[in-house]
Amino acid sequence: MAPAPTRHFLEFDDFSAEEFAHLFARTRWIKERFKRYEVYQPLRDRTLAMVFEKASTRTRVSFEAGMNQLGGIAINLNRNDTQLSRGEPIEDVARVISRMVDVVMIRTFGQELLQRFAAHSRVPVINGLTNEHHPCQILADVYTAIEHRGPIRGRTVAWIGDANNMLTSWLQAAAVLDFRVHVSSPVGYEVNRAALPRAIAERCESFADPKDACRGADIVTTDVWTSMGFEAENDARRQAFADWQVDAAMMRIARPDALFMHCLPAHRGEEVAAEVIDGPQSVVWDEAENRLHAQKALLEYLVCGRVEP
Ligand code: CP
Ligand code: NVA
């Protein structure tokens, strides 16, 4: 019998709703144990390789700390310190690294590069952010929403701003976990609705006015106006996005118990007003913390398979 194919987490919809239910249950279990200072080390003698081609604070710390807490070690590889910077083909790098470690996390530019790596890897590959997707962040964000408000099924998320990697992963999550996304982006920066798979298009509604997108929302969320890799567009984006700042007036249009979410890093006075991100509806620090716990559940699942409590 052929061995089961290696599982990867390259896009949010690589996993089923049932697998996410498992991951969220494991996240909770792992987090509770961690808070009680109970040692849990299923990844002893296991190694995570982390490849960063873009800057990171949360992703770097959460994967490295998480891997250590699970009993393993993490090796950090910056592009400039490796032979990647001298033109070694990504396929060869994948073949080599994956013979030495048990799991790989990559943050890079194009999703295509990640796919090429995964296609030549013997071990699971995790997307730590690409231009197109940020599934680990949405894993933590959905867990955070559930932690605060219960099941996300049937809820409405308002996305205010750039149709970027975060939005793509939110939209995939909406299709897998069955909730709705209201999207409002400036002209020229909108989601390409024609390219959306039907399951996503059915759950995604576009609004010209960001205030209209907030109506009835359980979660209001946004992200930087200029993502990493798009810095050359900074000035044009500053002008285009000026009316897409989540402020208190927008939050008042959402449901009274709406949460404010942001993957961070944030720019107060640009995509979000300080009164919102530092206000009572904001759960941004929980989102950041939950990167640690959710990714530990992800690492456990990809390396050890389904662990029942
Ligand atoms: N949210 C997030 O991925 O943060 P970093 O860029 O700091 O990793
Ligand atoms: N959309 C942002 C997210 C940063 C965590 C970026 O890609 O830069």
Side-chain angles (χ1 to χ4, degrees):
M1 203 170 76
T6 304
R7 294 296 303 275
H8 305 293
F9 190 49
L10 307 184
E11 301 187 21
F12 193 89
D13 64 8
D14 283 343
F15 289 172
S16 66
E18 194 273 327
E19 286 179 298
F20 283 112
H22 170 77
L23 284 177
F24 294 143
R26 292 304 294 159
T27 301
R28 186 173 166 183
W29 188 90
I30 287 169
K31 181 174 180 175
E32 284 173 359
R33 276 190 84 117
F34 180 73
K35 296 284 179 187
R36 294 196 299 264
Y37 297 96
E38 289 176 20
V39 174
Y40 177 57
Q41 300 196 321
L43 300 189
R44 267 192 308 277
D45 293 331
R46 303 299 191 126
T47 305
L48 165 72
M50 305 187 292
V51 181
F52 283 101
E53 300 206 85
K54 289 178 175 174
S56 170
T57 299
R58 280 144 287 268
T59 304
R60 165 82 196 271
V61 176
S62 55
F63 269 107
E64 187 161 342
M67 195 63 193
N68 282 289
Q69 290 160 16
L70 291 171
I73 65 157
I75 299 173
N76 185 39
L77 298 162
N78 286 308
R79 182 188 176 84
N80 292 341
D81 303 337
T82 70
Q83 298 288 6
L84 271 174
S85 65
R86 298 178 66 249
E88 184 169 15
I90 192 79
E91 291 80 2
D92 293 357
V93 176
R95 287 182 180 106
V96 171
I97 292 181
S98 71
R99 283 178 179 233
M100 299 177 178
V101 306
D102 302 280
V103 55
V104 178
M105 189 286 305
I106 304 181
R107 168 169 287 198
T108 188
F109 292 87
Q111 183 77 7
E112 178 259 349
L113 196 106
L114 188 74
Q115 285 161 346
R116 280 166 52 203
F117 190 104
H120 295 85
S121 173
R122 288 183 168 189
V123 300
V125 178
I126 298 170
N127 182 348
L129 181 146
T130 57
N131 291 348
E132 293 87 357
H133 298 272
H134 198 2
C136 289
Q137 182 69 51
I138 303 305
L139 181 69
D141 288 1
V142 172
Y143 179 77
T144 305
I146 293 170
E147 210 175 31
H148 281 271
R149 295 285 185 266
I152 196 158
R153 186 158 190 252
R155 302 281 190 171
T156 299
V157 174
W159 175 267
I160 309 300
D162 193 19
N164 64 11
N165 44 8
M166 280 288 297
L167 174 61
T168 303
S169 293
W170 268 118
L171 289 174
Q172 288 195 347
V176 177
L177 303 175
D178 195 14
F179 59 89
R180 302 187 59 75
V181 183
H182 289 177
V183 180
S184 180
S185 311
V187 173
Y189 298 92
E190 305 108 314
V191 67
N192 179 4
R193 292 194 65 92
L196 292 178
R198 202 167 132 204
I200 291 179
E202 283 171 359
R203 291 173 176 84
C204 170
E205 198 175 342
S206 297
F207 297 83
D209 186 334
K211 293 193 270 318
D212 292 335
C214 292
R215 199 154 287 118
D218 300 284
I219 295 168
V220 177
T221 186
T222 185
D223 189 10
V224 291
W225 290 343
T226 305
S227 286
M228 290 181 278
F230 296 85
E231 288 80 4
E233 300 173 15
N234 217 350
D235 290 343
R237 284 172 171 268
R238 249 180 234 274
Q239 287 189 8
F241 282 81
D243 292 333
W244 273 261
Q245 179 186 101
V246 178
D247 57 14
M250 262 190 219
M251 289 303 295
R252 276 195 293 277
I253 296 168
R255 288 174 58 94
D257 64 347
L259 302 173
F260 172 75
M261 300 187 108
H262 191 309
C263 65
L264 306 175
H267 299 79
R268 290 168 177 78
E270 291 191 11
E271 76 274 7
V272 61
E275 61 189 350
V276 171
I277 194 168
D278 299 319
Q281 288 167 279
S282 172
V283 293
V284 299
W285 314 121
D286 292 339
E287 288 174 78
E289 178 188 331
N290 284 333
R291 292 288 303 276
L292 173 71
H293 311 301
Q295 288 163 194
K296 284 167 76 176
L298 177 66
L299 287 165
E300 179 198 65
Y301 183 58
L302 287 174
V303 178
C304 305
R306 190 174 290 250
V307 174
E308 304 297 345

